[in-house]
Amino acid sequence: MVLALSSCRKEPASPTWDIDVAVPLVRTTLGLGDLLPDSLLSTDADGSVRLIYRSRLFALKLDTVLTAPDTTLRYVYPPFDLGGATLTFFPGTTIPAITDVTRFDLEELALSELRVRSGQLEIALKNRLATAILADFSIGGATLNGAELQVNGVIPAGSAASPATLVIDRSLAGYRFDLRGPQYDDVNTIAPRMDLTTDPNGGTVQMTNADSLEALVSYRDVVPAYAKGYFGTRAVELDADTSKLDVFRDISGLLDIEAAEARLDVRNGVGMDMRARLLYLKGINSRTGSSVELAHPIIGAPLNVDRAIDLGNGFQEASNSWSVSSTNSNLAELIEVLPDELAYDLDLELDPLGDVSNGNDFFYYESTLATDLEVEIPLRLRATDLVLRKDIAIELDGTVDRHALRSGTLHLFATNGFPFSAALQLSIVDSEGNVQATLAPGGTVPSAQVNTDGEVTSGSYTQVSFSIAAADLDRLYPSADGSVPAGKLRVSATFNTAGVNPVQLRADHAIDLQVSAPMGPMPTSRWYEM
């Protein structure tokens, strides 16, 4: 009988039972770290929080201003007109040395010493005599590890119609040039020397005006490691520029800041006095188009910048600072536009008082003139539509084509530890953070309980509901082949404190949140395989 009944049993239809499953989706906390990076927040002993932000406006290297251009020098023997006469050279004859005292044209630069980081010396020798020439080129005062710079080679025999050539390259990296000249009383000056000898194994030759020896000496791509001297009073043309400011990038809404302070630090790694003039400093919110230009006595005023100190093998930066606050400027208004860019224009004058160092200006390759801006804002403020948000990945079993949860209501349980109320919102965003759906209706969590000093004594609790349609719920699941990742749930809390006294934010202010999903009947066409 059992076997007979068993053989007649019908297969059940697809499951159609009703379930009422409370699925905890996520638990999280919204705090000040979701408004500003923790690295920018500083907590005082009483728990109050302040924002401290440092940004480099610009860093200027002056090596492009204070360096020598490429230079080519020409030396010829004989250095005089022979007319119709001739000179006779026997084998192994030493030709009178070609010597010179060369003063480089460096405009306003008056250098007594140059150490080379990189660069090239090229000597192109041309011989019109019918015998090989042994050439030895040296520069007095140019040394590497104490040894004088010396280059030698053999120029093949040539003729007036077909001169022979020899090109010699030598790296100048590491060389030190004493540019005071042979008497050590000049600047920008070197003393090159060319010693020439006819081939000891060659024949006797006659030199006429057409049989000259020629040397082209080129100094190319010289990058100083160090330079010393007087750099000259000059104005440096600096183009107006814009610096990115990312501290307020993720903040929306309006802020009413009670106080703010800023410090403009100029760090000079060059051994010369400078005078800067900040023509303007403007905060720009590129998202809203709003901008505020700083109004303060330092704008347009001459700012004297001290010189660095030469330590022999390095330097000690000089630092000058100028303070700006909300009591002596419109700094608070500039910050309240939530700028993501700082636009500025700067003039710079080098050695404005002349050669006050008696030829001891200097710079190293690493020397820069840098300007940093440090802003300090106690987070005591009023806020309009100030938003804290967090994107949260939710791990749900299934794919967009095969999952259990279909549609229903999301419940948001919130405990508010902020001393002001907050409107709560849920959105679904894709993997790039783009909003795909905004859920409704949402609601508001009341302010935390506070004492007479405005300090939070206990959080307030509320439950807010959001309807979610099937199509929106599908966005929280990945595609079956994994090509489209699952979306995320964005939790947002919007604060408004306008009309009340400024609120001091504290490190322990936060909203604890839990999102759960009680779902309705499970449709037969979207059953979930348990």
Side-chain angles (χ1 to χ4, degrees):
M1 184 182 294
V2 172
L3 292 174
L5 292 174
S6 176
S7 63
C8 297
R9 184 179 180 184
K10 295 181 179 181
E11 289 295 326
S14 297
T16 58
W17 58 86
D18 292 344
I19 60 172
D20 193 7
V21 183
V23 182
L25 295 182
V26 68
R27 185 189 299 270
T28 190
T29 298
L30 286 177
L32 291 180
D34 298 299
L35 181 68
L36 297 162
D38 290 337
S39 59
L40 303 181
L41 299 176
S42 176
T43 304
D44 296 337
D46 63 355
S48 59
V49 177
R50 62 184 62 234
L51 165 67
I52 300 178
Y53 180 76
R54 299 175 181 87
S55 174
R56 173 147 293 183
L57 292 183
F58 70 90
L60 174 68
K61 294 194 71 172
L62 296 178
D63 56 343
T64 56
V65 177
L66 306 176
T67 54
D70 290 353
T71 302
T72 298
L73 305 172
R74 182 174 180 264
Y75 306 98
V76 178
Y77 186 86
F80 46 83
D81 187 357
L82 293 177
T86 61
L87 296 176
T88 300
F89 295 107
F90 298 102
T93 298
T94 298
I95 299 174
I98 301 174
T99 59
D100 189 25
V101 176
T102 299
R103 199 174 198 275
F104 293 103
D105 181 10
L106 302 181
E107 298 180 350
E108 295 184 61
L109 290 178
L111 301 183
S112 58
E113 181 181 348
L114 177 67
R115 302 175 203 165
V116 180
R117 177 182 176 88
S118 63
Q120 205 70 19
L121 171 67
E122 180 184 274
I123 305 173
L125 302 167
K126 190 174 293 186
N127 179 19
R128 296 180 177 86
L129 281 176
T131 184
I133 300 293
L134 284 65
D136 191 336
F137 178 82
S138 61
I139 300 178
T143 58
L144 176 63
N145 299 325
E148 187 176 76
L149 188 154
Q150 193 166 18
V151 178
N152 50 58
V154 178
I155 319 170
S159 66
S162 180
T165 60
L166 173 68
V167 178
I168 304 173
D169 276 317
R170 170 66 62 86
S171 171
L172 294 177
Y175 275 93
R176 175 187 178 273
F177 285 77
D178 188 330
L179 299 177
R180 294 175 295 170
Q183 303 303 319
Y184 304 104
D185 59 354
D186 210 340
V187 292
N188 302 342
T189 302
I190 59 172
R193 176 186 176 95
M194 180 81 76
D195 291 303
L196 303 169
T197 305
T198 60
D199 185 358
N201 300 316
T204 301
V205 294
Q206 303 293 322
M207 174 180 280
T208 67
N209 275 336
D211 302 315
S212 64
L213 303 172
E214 183 179 358
L216 294 177
V217 181
S218 299
Y219 304 86
R220 295 184 284 104
D221 303 324
V222 174
V223 177
Y226 173 83
K228 180 180 178 182
Y230 170 53
F231 299 153
T233 300
R234 65 174 74 185
V236 177
E237 296 292 335
L238 299 176
D239 295 330
D241 203 355
T242 299
S243 176
K244 294 296 182 183
L245 189 67
D246 58 3
V247 62
F248 304 114
R249 180 182 55 196
D250 297 325
I251 300 179
S252 60
L254 300 175
L255 297 183
D256 181 6
I257 297 171
E258 189 174 48
E261 295 182 0
R263 188 173 70 246
L264 191 69
D265 291 330
V266 178
R267 300 181 181 277
N268 183 16
V270 182
M272 63 187 305
D273 298 309
M274 302 186 197
R275 180 175 293 155
R277 194 183 305 271
L278 185 61
L279 302 181
Y280 66 80
L281 179 66
K282 183 186 299 182
I284 301 172
N285 187 324
S286 63
R287 297 162 295 181
T288 65
S290 301
S291 66
V292 171
E293 189 170 328
L294 181 66
H296 186 274
I298 67 170
I299 302 298
L303 308 176
N304 294 320
V305 180
D306 297 331
R307 65 176 53 231
I309 299 174
D310 194 347
L311 302 179
N313 58 354
F315 60 93
Q316 177 180 313
E317 285 184 328
S319 179
N320 297 88
S321 297
W322 291 269
S323 295
V324 180
S325 72
S326 52
T327 59
N328 61 17
S329 74
N330 63 338
L331 177 64
E333 288 84 350
L334 188 152
I335 294 172
E336 286 169 0
V337 301
L338 305 179
D340 56 0
E341 294 178 350
L342 285 176
Y344 57 88
D345 194 5
L346 185 76
D347 281 348
L348 189 63
E349 188 177 7
L350 309 183
D351 274 331
L353 301 179
D355 187 13
V356 296
S357 71
N358 194 28
N360 285 298
D361 291 354
F362 72 89
F363 77 91
Y364 286 82
Y365 176 79
E366 298 81 8
S367 296
T368 59
L369 177 70
T371 300
D372 298 319
L373 180 67
E374 179 176 288
V375 179
E376 183 172 337
I377 308 171
L379 292 183
R380 182 175 176 82
L381 47 82
R382 297 180 182 89
T384 302
D385 295 333
L386 179 65
V387 179
L388 298 183
R389 64 169 58 95
K390 180 178 290 186
D391 293 350
I392 310 161
I394 302 174
E395 295 186 6
L396 296 174
D397 291 333
T399 65
V400 68
D401 298 319
R402 194 173 182 82
H403 61 79
L405 304 180
R406 178 62 173 160
S407 63
T409 302
L410 297 182
H411 293 315
L412 179 60
F413 303 94
T415 301
N416 186 11
F418 280 95
F420 34 75
S421 62
L424 301 178
Q425 185 182 71
L426 289 181
S427 303
I428 298 174
V429 299
D430 62 17
S431 58
E432 302 298 323
N434 301 309
V435 176
Q436 302 297 299
T438 300
L439 308 184
T444 299
V445 56
S447 168
Q449 302 299 315
V450 297
N451 59 22
T452 55
D453 296 325
E455 298 174 345
V456 173
T457 56
S458 63
S460 63
Y461 173 83
T462 194
Q463 174 183 329
V464 181
S465 298
F466 300 85
S467 298
I468 183 167
D472 294 333
L473 186 59
D474 286 347
R475 301 178 191 276
L476 297 175
Y477 289 89
S479 62
D481 60 4
S483 60
V484 179
K488 298 179 180 180
L489 199 62
R490 173 173 291 175
V491 183
S492 303
T494 302
F495 301 109
N496 285 281
T497 66
V500 300
N501 292 328
V503 176
Q504 174 63 58
L505 299 182
R506 296 171 52 92
D508 55 357
H509 288 165
I511 299 179
D512 293 325
L513 301 165
Q514 178 178 312
V515 181
S516 296
M519 296 298 169
M522 183 181 301
T524 58
S525 61
R526 295 287 287 263
W527 64 281
Y528 178 59
E529 204 169 56
M530 303 293 288

